[in-house]
Amino acid sequence: MAQAPVTSIFMHGRPVDILRLELAQPALQGNKYYKLKYNLEHMRAAGYHALMTFGGVFSNHIHATAIACKNAGIQGIAVLRGEDDPGNPTLQFIRAQGMETLFINREKYRLRNMTSFVEELSSTYGNVYVLPEGGTNALAVKGCSEILEGRVQDYDHIFCAVGTGGTISGIISTPGLKAEVTGIAVLKGEKDTLTPYVNSLIGDVHIPWRINFDHHFGGYAKFNPALMDYIEKFTSTHQIKPDPVYTAKVFYAVDDMISKNKIPEGQRILCIHTGGLQGWDGWHYRFKKQDTSAAS
Ligand SMILES: *Cc1c(COP(=O)(O)O)cnc(C)c1O
């Protein structure tokens, strides 16, 4: 794939580069292209004809996987947390790609990583490749270790959003990278599980990295007026549109850290725009009664 462009902006007078994965693959949602790349290659080589994966009903991962399956001529099956809703734009989209949908309640969804449960779900589909929630596995990490290709020497401090932790694991594992890596967690309460999980995915890597849990705004897809104002200003000032669930919190966090002098002077900073713009459709659908018009 062609290298994603970088846009240079300023935050409080400090230069900050934004890696524009949202431009490189607008349909495949930025980081999701990299997470799926080697999984699809493996599926093809091993002769699987169907892919089953897990997520929420507005999930960027499910959206991207639906496109990838259609492109590859594979039957996609989405196991979704919650209930069907014909008005949901993400569900409408994935069905239009030919993806099958299977809804399970929250209780059952907790079993999503249990082998016996997954086998039970997938048994009716025959030879089906199972991709965990968010698409995170070793092959996804391998794909994400290519996100910084060609830019490995260019930065001292790299910031990205953390959901399941697959993307940051790939960034940390980038061959030859010497930079510091900070992930901004977009979920609350994952403090005790995410760091050991990322450790298990990266293996023997010795660059400084951490996950920051101070900027999730109350949890996954939670927001407040300050975040919505920030998105509006950021979009109009820089002509770069963040997504509301992941990258908005990263840009906000880096801006905040710079303003509080928490990033050492002189460090060359890169923020990764991991995509997720399809999330706006679901966002407006869910929150249409609240005022998110500022970010439309
Ligand atoms: C899925 C997603 C992430 C999180 O990636 P993980 O590998 O799950 O940590 C970050 N940003 C965007 C826009 C996403 O869609």
Side-chain angles (χ1 to χ4, degrees):
M1 179 171 105
Q3 208 181 37
V6 159
T7 301
S8 300
I9 65 170
F10 286 88
M11 291 179 177
H12 308 281
R14 286 278 301 270
V16 173
D17 277 5
I18 313 287
L19 181 60
R20 311 285 306 276
L21 301 186
E22 95 281 17
L23 297 180
Q25 287 285 339
L28 266 180
Q29 296 299 311
N31 64 335
K32 300 305 189 281
Y33 166 84
Y34 295 90
K35 295 186 79 169
L36 287 165
K37 179 180 172 186
Y38 289 108
N39 279 291
L40 292 169
E41 242 180 65
H42 172 71
M43 279 189 73
R44 218 170 292 129
Y48 288 98
H49 67 276
L51 183 162
M52 174 178 276
T53 193
F54 298 78
V57 292
F58 295 101
S59 160
N60 293 335
H61 162 65
I62 298 287
H63 183 274
T65 305
I67 298 168
C69 286
K70 187 185 183 190
N71 291 345
I74 293 163
Q75 178 59 57
I77 304 140
V79 182
L80 300 160
R81 183 186 60 235
E83 279 161 29
D84 195 1
D85 172 6
N88 174 326
T90 305
L91 294 180
Q92 288 174 357
F93 178 86
I94 65 169
R95 285 181 168 137
Q97 309 304 302
M99 196 173 219
E100 248 185 73
T101 52
L102 215 64
F103 295 89
I104 59 176
N105 64 32
R106 280 162 192 279
E107 228 164 89
K108 277 202 168 161
Y109 192 79
R110 287 200 199 101
L111 307 175
R112 65 191 177 276
N113 293 322
M114 267 189 56
T115 313
S116 57
F117 180 65
V118 172
E119 274 171 2
E120 184 189 317
L121 279 176
S122 59
S123 60
T124 49
Y125 295 96
N127 193 20
V128 50
Y129 185 65
V130 177
L131 197 55
E133 178 182 54
T136 292
N137 60 12
L139 291 175
V141 173
K142 182 183 174 191
C144 290
S145 75
E146 297 177 357
I147 288 175
L148 296 178
E149 219 164 62
R151 306 188 190 281
V152 173
Q153 316 281 340
D154 298 354
Y155 299 100
D156 304 304
H157 204 150
I158 293 163
F159 292 86
C160 69
V162 178
T164 62
T167 303
I168 191 174
S169 297
I171 299 293
I172 295 166
S173 314
T174 305
L177 187 70
K178 297 280 195 311
E180 192 173 332
V181 179
T182 298
I184 307 300
V186 303
L187 289 90
K188 129 181 130 169
E190 305 277 313
K191 199 168 192 147
D192 297 324
T193 55
L194 263 175
T195 300
Y197 182 57
V198 168
N199 258 318
S200 76
L201 288 170
I202 60 178
D204 201 19
V205 176
H206 300 285
I207 63 166
W209 66 273
R210 78 188 57 77
I211 301 177
N212 175 308
F213 294 88
D214 298 335
H215 293 90
H216 54 64
F217 287 80
Y220 188 70
K222 296 284 198 301
F223 61 96
N224 66 13
L227 184 66
M228 300 322 286
D229 283 351
Y230 188 78
I231 291 173
E232 186 191 0
K233 287 205 190 80
F234 191 92
T235 306
S236 62
T237 307
H238 305 302
Q239 309 302 316
I240 298 171
K241 189 170 182 139
D243 81 292
V245 178
Y246 295 95
T247 54
K249 293 178 183 179
V250 174
F251 300 146
Y252 189 102
V254 173
D255 193 301
D256 186 59
M257 284 184 231
I258 289 174
S259 78
K260 291 174 179 158
N261 261 321
K262 288 183 177 167
I263 304 176
E265 204 61 49
Q267 274 196 342
R268 297 166 300 168
I269 301 166
L270 179 72
C271 294
I272 303 176
H273 191 319
T274 37
L277 295 179
Q278 76 90 23
W280 279 116
D281 294 340
W283 186 272
H284 292 307
Y285 176 69
R286 285 156 90 183
F287 301 123
K288 60 192 166 217
K289 292 194 188 76
Q290 299 174 36
D291 184 21
T292 55
S293 59
S296 62

